[in-house]
Amino acid sequence: KHALRAPPPLQAAMELGDLGLLESELRKWTTDVLPDRFGDCKGVVEAVIKLARERLVTWRGVQLTLKDILKEVEHLPVNTVLLMEHCQRLFRTLKEAQLTKLDIGRSNPGAIERVCEVLTAWQERAMCHSNKVHRLIVRKVVNCSQLGSFDFTDLEICLRLVDRAEFGSEVFLSRAQAIVEDESTHPKDLRGLLGHVETMLFFLKYSKSEDLKLTYTEFRKQASKLDGFVAGYLSKSEREYGPGCELVRLTPGQGLLGGDEVAQVLEQIRRRPFDASDCLGLFRDIFYHWAVVMRSKFELLVLPHHTQVVCLLVFRYFLEAKLGGTDPRALIAQVGTGEGKSMIIAALAIFVVVALGKKAHIVVDDETLLERDFGTFKPLFDIFRVPTGKGGTRCLSAVLCVSEERLAAEQGRPGLATRLDPEADICYCEAKHVQSYYASIARGEKRDFEGYEERVLILDEVDALIIDEEPNEAFVYPNTDLSRMATKVAMCLSAGASSEEIAASVGNRHPAAERLVREMSKEWARGRQLKTGEDFVYSREMGRYCSLHSGRANPKDWSLALECRNFQDDLCSDILFQERLFVMSRPRVFRKYHRILGLSGSIGSEAERRYLRDTYRAAFFEVPPFLKTCHGSPFHEAVPVGLGNQRRAVYVEATPEAQLARLAEVALEARERVPVLVIARDRAQADHLVDRLRAAACSRGLGGLSDDLVRSLSRTLYETDPQQWKENLNRSTQPLGDGASGGKSWRVTVTDPRGGRGTDYRVDDHGVDNRGGLLLIPTAVPTSQRDWRQYLGRTARQDRRGQFCVVLCAADYASLQAKYGQPLPNSAGLEAIESIISWGDREAAERIRGSAALYNSGVRVNELCEEVFSRHPHLLHEPVSRERLVDICQRLRWMSVHEVDLAFASIRGVNPANVPSEARDLGRPVEPSPGRNREPKARLTLATTGTGASVSLPSVSVAVTSTPKMGPQDLLHPHGPPKVVMFCLDWSLSMMSQDTGTSLSRFATCQACVQRILTEQVMDQDLVGCVVFGASVETVVPLTPKGLGHGRISPCIASLQAQTLGGTCFFDAVLQCIQQLGLPGLAPVGAPRWLVCLTDGDDLGSRRENARGEQVCKMLEVGMPANLNMIMITVGRLKETNLRVIDCWVDQVSAAGGFARHLSERNATAIQQSFEEVAECLASDVGGATEC
């Protein structure tokens, strides 16, 4: 009873956040020893008292900090920057009080009022047009009890959004005031709501100058390149919705802001024509209800642009058309940023559901934009009802796909799901959820793959459709029997068992036993290489490691390597073994939809358009910018501007140092007039440029300002300090300092390619607009037209001007120049930009051609996997049939369509001839190594990461999870970080022997095998080297990027001849190779280094100090190159002592976490087979995807 009565006053004081009350209550508990009357509850009471005392200490510290700051600003600083720093400290103290649950208003009422006064004084100085709304925002924020993620930068952004003179901005300020005064509006929502009001007023500003006739004139400018069907849709639109049939007819003097005026316009929208059929139909209802929703929220009128209406009509005619053999199945519109694309998508989704009776999957591959769009249009979706077919209706259902963490954090919020809901009418999702939906069908009991005909796919950006490298996705499934066997193998590996002991532990009765041992041995070594914080993190909930996907733990990701790592670190006692049983062709799954509707800022190059046309039967059209359809309105695009000493718009410098000097010259000169945004080649260069530009600013006498003058917006900063990143973005287009000295100067902001896409750089200063607008300085032009268009879209937003000046380094494009035999132009025009993009177009075309065979093989495997899963599911439980299916899924990339059919025909009960196919047989995507007499195993490609993930892994949601995270900044390494491959070959006299069982000598056989590996398994960005040894050691090919040395590496290796001298300096050659592989700066951190050696005899001739391989052992012990992997091939009978030396090296590399193997062959006929084993050991396609 006493325990129930005594603690509550303390708890109440803590809950109320009342410092004085807590102090008063704690005075009643001065003794450290509690009376016996609390009995068994004594411990509970002690815990409450301890917590209260700790809380008191924390609160006193917060209050003391607040008092100190307020004392410092009793006399407000004259300097605005200094005053802002005090305000930032005050804001942090307010946030700290909230985090510790201290109610400052209750504990010290006068302090809150004083904080408001200080913040208001700062905003009056910092803003150009201090007004009532500013003061309301300050007071709302200071008095908010839970600011959450809202910080001082957010406050400043909101204040700048309303920084307008009251005369001339009455409408905006009145709407902004209503939003701020609304008690239901949380500070975190202010920025988005105020931005909405600004955008709505911008479009209303030009509504009366919009002309439908001019709109069709702009549409017709593309007539020569339009598909005939699309041209017909546009003509039909002009006939049915031509001038005189406008949704709303506005007169020059008509008002659009007053309540009665808005009501009249809404009535026009709603009223259907009496004398003619209404071509708008359902769209009229959508426009009306959307206008009503926005009016209720903002007291403003929202009207669709003529361009939006025409675009929607074209899509409508396309959706209603009956498909013929050559009719388009996909229609893609190019719609610029800020042209109302999200509204078009929402309207199309409602039309698909209500008018066509189908369901819509909307793909937005940006989590922030996805949530924003769904939240914006959910009130509109909730208004509509769906016909049920019997005269009745039901509510339209809309769902947003989110992560499991987000769903758990927002329990109870309607409309959220972790995957596509098959019953929902509209699903907003990412591309991975579309894949997951297909995976759920493949895993389900019904396995009905035909339901897509009742669904329409709508894409915001068409990047997901253009699959020019890895078009297939493999799904993995658990195998209980193999999991038990894998656990036995893991126990053997932990105990250091020999390969014979490992094989004996699982026996050979199961058809997958040999494969399981091979994969477990490989992934066991790979698991040791995984790095915490990069490849995986520990999950407390699961009690084991989870892979990292896009920086977040994903417990549904699976890889055998991570399973092994969990076992190695005693976080699990069993291995979950999963295997590939199903291959999905992503283009084929997209084609299953009834129709595909795409809206994209840029459709891409001609090669990409041709791919979309051939793969999806796509047609295209462009939606003209809204301002081009308005009489007398200013429409601007980013224009090149001549800057620097040579007054050029494009500079091409020979070296990085020259590029940096030119960049500093251009940027630091231009920032005297306008804000400058530098878009670096990648995040590493962005970080480097920030330091160097600050140094350059110091050398120009700007040392005290350099840190503020040059600011970073790189992804590195975003990941380490997101608050600072947000502040830098806010400051990027603001004047430097407080402008008290008169003329304005501006900042130089450095971002990476991530900041060149989708980030809004707001420019409000009219003086900047008069001087050309925000200046972009890209230091690398992306090879993708879509990316370049995105870069230019960072400036010249809405009706503002924009400009760019490009500063390139020719060395960044050396591989492309060598590849296409064309130097990068260094003229004063835009020829360099055009060349880079044209190279990119050619590369895109090559990638598309290069993936065509793999695409077709994937389509055929997908078709036949569906056949097995839907019609012969019992085969999945038969070990032999299942193993054959696994084998097909693992070696898909080495099989032609015909070979796929033959392989499936070997599965009992499956007849590929009865399964129709869309696939064309273009041969094998990749040719397996020659000389194989047995059925190929899962063929492998060289690993591309230090942690061992394979180039060929198509992982989207799950894969070998050790693959380093890639971002859009990786312009020069699109296939992942480069790997390093060093071949060390014996060319002594004995290698001339003609005993390989072929017409080739031992050495010629090695040459042929190496050449094939270079052709099929080494990318242009990978480094390749070759050392040969006999009586001496010679580096015939120093480590060189394949793309740069492609013209000489292959001829050099082909021209080698075995030596006529005796001697085999094998140990010295290995030492030299390891030294070269360990050179600093050779390749990016994490890049794998592979050493592949072949010798056909004992060492004879190495230096005395290395005669027994001692120096190699020492180097591997104290100076082993990072991420070293080693494969040693020995041919013939070597001395036992030499074999032990080689085995010792292998053990050293394995112990360090690398992959290492010694392939000992009795005679030369096995050389080809050994190189095949090299390929199989280097990587294996064993990963795959599960549902996201």
Side-chain angles (χ1 to χ4, degrees):
K1 183 169 71 174
H2 292 292
L4 292 175
R5 289 178 179 174
L10 276 178
Q11 294 170 315
M14 288 189 285
E15 287 297 321
L16 291 171
D18 192 325
L19 176 59
L21 180 59
L22 184 60
E23 288 176 326
S24 174
E25 289 297 327
L26 276 174
R27 291 192 194 102
K28 303 173 184 177
W29 301 88
T30 55
T31 179
D32 292 332
V33 180
L34 293 178
D36 293 334
R37 68 176 183 269
F38 291 110
D40 293 339
C41 296
K42 191 175 180 179
V44 175
V45 178
E46 286 177 341
V48 173
I49 295 171
K50 181 181 178 183
L51 176 62
R53 287 172 176 166
E54 291 173 352
R55 187 72 57 84
L56 179 63
V57 172
T58 302
W59 285 358
R60 282 174 174 169
V62 172
Q63 189 173 58
L64 182 61
T65 302
L66 182 62
K67 287 181 178 179
D68 289 344
I69 299 172
L70 291 176
K71 186 175 181 180
E72 290 177 21
V73 293
E74 280 183 358
H75 303 289
L76 294 175
V78 176
N79 186 287
T80 304
V81 175
L82 182 58
L83 180 57
M84 185 183 74
E85 291 175 357
H86 285 307
C87 289
Q88 288 174 321
R89 292 175 59 204
L90 275 176
F91 204 92
R92 284 195 294 268
T93 306
L94 286 178
K95 297 264 291 185
E96 186 178 359
Q98 291 184 1
L99 289 172
T100 59
K101 298 185 177 180
L102 170 62
D103 188 338
I104 294 177
R106 183 184 294 272
S107 301
N108 188 355
I112 286 291
E113 191 58 36
R114 182 58 181 150
V115 170
C116 282
E117 291 174 4
V118 175
L119 288 174
T120 300
W122 162 72
Q123 69 83 13
E124 287 175 350
R125 295 186 190 180
M127 303 297 128
C128 297
H129 308 285
S130 181
N131 55 54
K132 180 181 179 181
V133 183
H134 282 137
R135 295 186 287 276
L136 288 172
I137 290 175
V138 168
R139 190 161 294 278
K140 185 182 188 76
V141 170
V142 171
N143 285 283
C144 178
S145 60
Q146 288 297 326
L147 289 170
S149 61
F150 189 92
D151 59 16
F152 184 82
T153 300
D154 293 312
L155 172 62
E156 187 178 1
I157 292 170
C158 292
L159 293 174
R160 294 198 180 279
L161 280 170
V162 300
D163 190 20
R164 301 156 192 255
E166 296 190 7
F167 179 75
S169 301
E170 296 88 350
V171 175
F172 176 83
L173 291 176
S174 67
R175 301 310 191 268
Q177 180 175 336
I179 290 171
V180 176
E181 289 178 336
D182 186 345
E183 292 184 0
S184 66
T185 303
H186 191 278
K188 68 179 175 60
D189 299 323
L190 282 175
R191 180 179 178 182
L193 294 173
L194 294 172
H196 264 304
V197 172
E198 183 180 51
T199 301
M200 292 162 69
L201 287 173
F202 167 76
F203 286 119
L204 276 178
K205 174 181 174 182
Y206 294 104
S207 290
K208 284 180 283 189
S209 61
E210 194 179 11
D211 187 327
L212 185 54
K213 182 178 180 180
L214 183 57
T215 299
Y216 282 112
T217 300
E218 290 294 327
F219 268 106
R220 281 195 296 271
K221 289 181 178 179
Q222 57 187 304
S224 61
K225 54 185 179 181
L226 283 179
D227 180 278
F229 294 99
V230 180
Y233 301 151
L234 276 171
S235 297
K236 184 176 181 180
S237 173
E238 189 168 7
R239 289 194 306 272
E240 297 186 354
Y241 184 73
C245 300
E246 291 87 345
L247 179 70
V248 176
R249 299 186 189 182
L250 301 176
T251 59
Q254 183 174 352
L256 297 174
L257 300 172
D260 292 339
E261 296 164 337
V262 171
Q264 291 175 8
V265 173
L266 288 177
E267 184 57 31
Q268 273 198 68
I269 297 175
R270 191 173 195 178
R271 188 189 315 124
R272 299 182 184 277
F274 296 107
D275 55 346
S277 61
D278 184 13
C279 68
L280 295 178
L282 179 60
F283 289 132
R284 182 182 296 277
D285 296 331
I286 295 171
F287 299 148
Y288 171 77
H289 287 298
W290 179 234
V292 171
V293 167
M294 298 305 279
R295 183 192 183 192
S296 66
K297 194 167 188 176
F298 299 106
E299 279 297 318
L300 284 173
L301 178 64
V302 174
L303 293 174
H305 319 150
H306 291 326
T307 53
Q308 290 177 305
V309 177
V310 174
C311 177
L312 284 167
L313 288 174
V314 170
F315 275 117
R316 174 191 167 182
Y317 301 143
F318 165 71
L319 288 167
E320 293 176 338
K322 291 184 179 180
L323 277 180
T326 60
D327 293 9
R329 289 189 62 95
L331 183 58
I332 300 171
Q334 182 167 294
V335 185
T337 302
E339 294 292 331
K341 181 169 57 173
S342 56
M343 171 57 198
I344 298 174
I345 289 173
L348 284 172
I350 294 173
F351 181 84
V352 164
V353 173
V354 177
L356 301 183
K358 299 185 183 295
K359 300 184 185 299
H361 290 171
I362 299 172
V363 174
V364 183
D365 262 342
D366 182 295
E367 193 173 348
T368 302
L369 296 180
L370 178 69
E371 183 175 348
R372 182 204 69 182
D373 290 352
F374 179 80
T376 299
F377 295 103
K378 181 66 163 61
L380 178 63
F381 298 146
D382 291 342
I383 293 172
F384 283 87
R385 299 188 65 82
V386 183
T388 59
K390 296 181 179 180
T393 61
R394 59 173 177 81
C395 294
L396 184 150
S397 58
V399 168
L400 168 67
C401 292
V402 297
S403 65
E404 290 191 350
E405 297 82 359
R406 177 66 187 283
L407 184 65
E410 299 203 32
Q411 287 183 350
R413 179 182 167 186
L416 298 184
T418 57
R419 62 189 65 194
L420 287 173
D421 182 351
E423 302 303 321
D425 296 305
I426 297 174
C427 288
Y428 273 73
C429 63
E430 298 174 59
K432 65 181 181 181
H433 295 108
V434 173
Q435 170 184 303
S436 173
Y437 180 68
Y438 184 82
S440 68
I441 296 174
R443 294 173 182 276
E445 293 182 2
K446 289 186 177 180
R447 291 168 178 160
D448 177 13
F449 296 99
E450 305 305 320
Y452 281 89
E453 182 56 31
E454 296 305 312
R455 290 170 169 79
V456 172
L457 182 64
I458 306 176
L459 297 116
D460 181 348
E461 300 300 332
V462 296
D463 301 53
L465 294 180
I466 302 173
I467 304 167
D468 53 8
E469 289 182 348
E470 183 52 68
N472 308 311
E473 181 67 52
F475 296 149
V476 292
Y477 295 75
N479 188 314
T480 304
D481 292 340
L482 296 190
S483 293
R484 285 195 291 266
M485 294 168 63
T487 302
K488 291 181 181 179
V489 173
M491 295 171 67
C492 291
L493 290 168
S494 293
S498 66
S499 57
E500 292 79 8
E501 291 171 328
I502 294 173
S505 70
V506 298
N508 57 8
R509 301 178 68 179
H510 197 287
E514 180 186 351
R515 173 174 63 85
L516 181 138
V517 171
R518 184 176 68 249
E519 291 177 6
M520 278 295 298
S521 300
K522 171 65 180 172
E523 300 306 310
W524 184 267
R526 186 174 289 173
R528 291 192 182 279
Q529 293 181 308
L530 300 182
K531 296 180 180 179
T532 182
E534 295 182 16
D535 303 311
F536 64 87
V537 292
Y538 179 75
S539 169
R540 291 184 179 180
E541 294 79 8
M542 300 183 65
R544 58 182 291 154
Y545 300 138
C546 291
S547 65
L548 280 172
H549 183 68
S550 300
R552 279 187 287 180
N554 188 342
K556 291 196 173 184
D557 272 9
W558 177 88
S559 80
L560 187 54
L562 192 56
E563 284 291 310
C564 292
R565 182 58 177 267
N566 275 300
F567 192 95
Q568 291 160 2
D569 292 355
D570 296 323
L571 295 178
C572 69
S573 56
D574 299 292
I575 295 289
L576 172 63
F577 192 89
Q578 303 201 79
E579 52 191 359
R580 292 182 171 194
L581 282 176
F582 194 100
V583 170
M584 176 190 75
S585 166
R586 281 180 280 167
R588 178 173 178 268
V589 170
F590 289 144
R591 283 202 307 272
K592 283 177 168 286
Y593 282 90
H594 173 71
R595 295 283 199 284
I596 298 175
L597 312 179
L599 296 101
S600 187
S602 173
I603 298 171
S605 66
E606 180 53 40
E608 290 169 330
R609 288 178 182 242
R610 186 164 53 251
Y611 171 84
L612 293 170
R613 193 179 294 115
D614 295 343
T615 305
Y616 304 103
R617 281 166 50 188
F620 316 96
F621 69 104
E622 297 176 12
V623 178
F626 163 71
L627 286 176
K628 280 192 173 183
T629 67
C630 301
H631 289 292
S633 62
F635 171 75
H636 301 293
E637 293 180 309
V639 297
V641 57
L643 297 172
N645 291 336
Q646 298 180 25
R647 316 313 293 175
R648 295 174 62 168
V650 178
Y651 289 94
V652 179
E653 303 296 342
T655 66
E657 282 300 315
Q659 180 191 33
L660 178 64
R662 183 70 68 186
L663 176 64
E665 170 194 308
V666 173
L668 295 178
E669 170 199 322
R671 70 109 201 161
E672 296 290 342
R673 302 166 46 254
V674 296
V676 176
L677 177 65
V678 177
I679 306 179
R681 180 187 65 239
D682 51 38
R683 69 163 69 185
Q685 189 192 43
D687 296 335
H688 177 67
L689 290 180
V690 168
D691 294 336
R692 297 298 298 272
L693 285 174
R694 284 175 176 169
C698 289
S699 70
R700 287 165 169 77
L702 298 169
L705 296 174
S706 61
D707 284 358
D708 188 18
L709 188 153
V710 181
R711 294 205 176 206
S712 170
L713 274 181
S714 76
R715 195 67 184 170
T716 303
L717 178 64
Y718 180 84
E719 292 171 353
T720 57
D721 191 348
Q723 299 299 328
Q724 185 63 54
W725 188 93
K726 184 164 60 176
E727 180 181 335
N728 288 358
L729 176 60
N730 181 40
R731 295 258 178 267
S732 63
T733 55
Q734 292 181 27
L736 186 65
D738 57 12
S741 59
K744 294 179 180 177
S745 61
W746 305 86
R747 291 178 174 83
V748 176
T749 305
V750 184
T751 189
D752 51 35
R754 185 75 173 260
R757 292 177 61 101
T759 304
D760 189 13
Y761 301 89
R762 177 188 176 85
V763 180
D764 292 325
D765 191 285
H766 293 293
V768 169
D769 203 53
N770 293 335
R771 291 186 288 274
L774 172 68
L775 172 67
L776 298 181
I777 308 182
T779 64
V781 173
T783 54
S784 164
Q785 286 189 19
R786 291 195 302 279
D787 288 342
W788 179 239
R789 191 181 185 93
Q790 285 283 343
Y791 280 20
L792 297 184
R794 298 315 96 208
T795 189
R797 310 275 287 185
Q798 292 187 339
D799 54 356
R800 300 181 183 93
R801 299 178 187 276
Q803 53 192 330
F804 68 91
C805 178
V806 179
V807 181
L808 304 175
C809 177
D812 288 341
Y813 298 94
S815 61
L816 287 172
Q817 295 177 76
K819 181 176 182 178
Y820 295 111
Q822 175 187 350
L824 188 63
N826 193 6
S827 58
L830 304 181
E831 290 82 1
I833 297 174
E834 294 165 356
S835 292
I836 293 168
I837 292 176
S838 71
W839 291 338
D841 291 347
R842 292 169 69 178
E843 281 199 316
E846 291 166 6
R847 288 196 301 271
I848 290 169
R849 286 196 299 270
S851 67
L854 182 60
Y855 157 71
N856 280 280
S857 294
V859 167
R860 189 54 179 157
V861 174
N862 191 183
E863 293 167 341
L864 293 170
C865 281
E866 284 187 3
E867 172 74 8
V868 171
F869 272 62
S870 59
R871 299 181 184 275
H872 309 281
H874 61 280
L875 296 176
L876 302 176
H877 305 287
E878 297 178 5
V880 173
S881 298
R882 184 180 176 114
E883 182 61 15
R884 287 179 178 174
L885 185 56
V886 171
D887 185 59
I888 295 168
C889 293
Q890 286 192 340
R891 61 187 180 91
L892 160 66
R893 66 182 56 252
W894 292 275
M895 301 171 69
S896 67
V897 171
H898 176 64
E899 288 169 329
V900 168
D901 281 343
L902 292 177
F904 270 97
S906 70
I907 301 176
R908 184 176 58 82
V910 178
N911 185 358
N914 294 335
V915 182
S917 181
E918 300 174 342
R920 293 185 300 136
D921 197 339
L922 300 180
R924 291 174 173 173
V926 178
E927 283 292 334
S929 299
R932 247 192 175 171
N933 297 319
R934 64 185 189 279
E935 186 73 3
K937 298 177 184 176
R939 295 313 311 266
L940 316 171
T941 53
L942 287 173
T944 62
T945 72
T947 51
S950 166
V951 165
S952 56
L953 282 179
S955 55
V956 173
S957 62
V958 180
V960 174
T961 54
S962 51
T963 306
K965 314 305 180 289
M966 298 291 290
Q969 70 274 12
D970 300 297
L971 293 173
L972 302 182
H973 304 310
H975 303 287
K979 57 183 174 288
V980 186
V981 184
M982 174 66 82
F983 294 99
C984 182
L985 305 177
D986 188 341
W987 71 344
S988 62
L989 179 63
S990 59
M991 290 294 287
M992 297 177 66
S993 300
Q994 300 278 346
D995 56 355
T996 63
T998 71
S999 60
L1000 300 177
S1001 67
R1002 294 184 179 187
F1003 190 68
T1005 300
C1006 290
Q1007 287 173 296
C1009 292
V1010 169
Q1011 294 279 37
R1012 183 170 290 275
I1013 290 176
L1014 287 177
T1015 300
E1016 297 177 357
Q1017 300 179 350
V1018 179
M1019 301 270 183
D1020 282 348
Q1021 74 266 27
D1022 298 334
L1023 281 77
V1024 181
C1026 185
V1027 169
V1028 291
F1029 60 90
S1032 60
V1033 179
E1034 183 177 340
T1035 299
V1036 292
V1037 178
L1039 286 167
T1040 307
K1042 176 186 168 184
L1044 292 179
H1046 188 66
R1048 62 178 185 276
I1049 293 176
S1050 292
C1052 178
I1053 293 176
S1055 66
L1056 298 176
Q1057 298 289 330
Q1059 301 295 287
T1060 57
L1061 299 175
T1064 307
C1065 298
F1066 175 51
F1067 294 161
D1068 280 352
V1070 173
L1071 179 65
Q1072 184 168 317
C1073 289
I1074 294 175
Q1075 289 171 338
Q1076 292 189 42
L1077 288 169
L1079 291 174
L1082 181 68
V1085 176
R1089 290 158 169 79
W1090 287 91
L1091 175 57
V1092 180
C1093 303
L1094 182 143
T1095 182
D1096 72 344
D1098 291 307
D1099 182 272
L1100 180 63
S1102 287
R1103 290 169 296 118
R1104 178 178 301 175
E1105 57 270 26
N1106 194 33
R1108 296 182 179 178
E1110 301 96 325
Q1111 290 191 324
V1112 176
C1113 292
K1114 185 176 181 180
M1115 172 159 279
L1116 292 176
E1117 181 179 349
V1118 299
M1120 184 186 301
N1123 307 310
L1124 179 64
N1125 305 281
M1126 175 186 288
I1127 301 176
M1128 293 286 170
I1129 304 173
T1130 56
V1131 179
R1133 294 183 179 275
L1134 273 67
K1135 294 179 181 178
E1136 190 64 31
T1137 54
N1138 287 335
L1139 291 175
R1140 282 200 297 269
V1141 169
I1142 295 171
D1143 288 339
C1144 177
W1145 298 344
V1146 169
D1147 291 342
Q1148 285 180 282
V1149 174
S1150 295
F1155 177 82
R1157 181 170 292 184
H1158 177 193
L1159 304 177
S1160 180
E1161 304 293 355
R1162 291 297 183 96
N1163 55 64
T1165 58
I1167 290 178
Q1168 286 185 347
Q1169 182 174 324
S1170 294
F1171 273 101
E1172 293 172 15
E1173 293 296 324
V1174 167
E1176 290 189 2
C1177 292
L1178 288 174
S1180 181
D1181 288 349
V1182 300
T1186 61
E1187 296 174 53
C1188 65

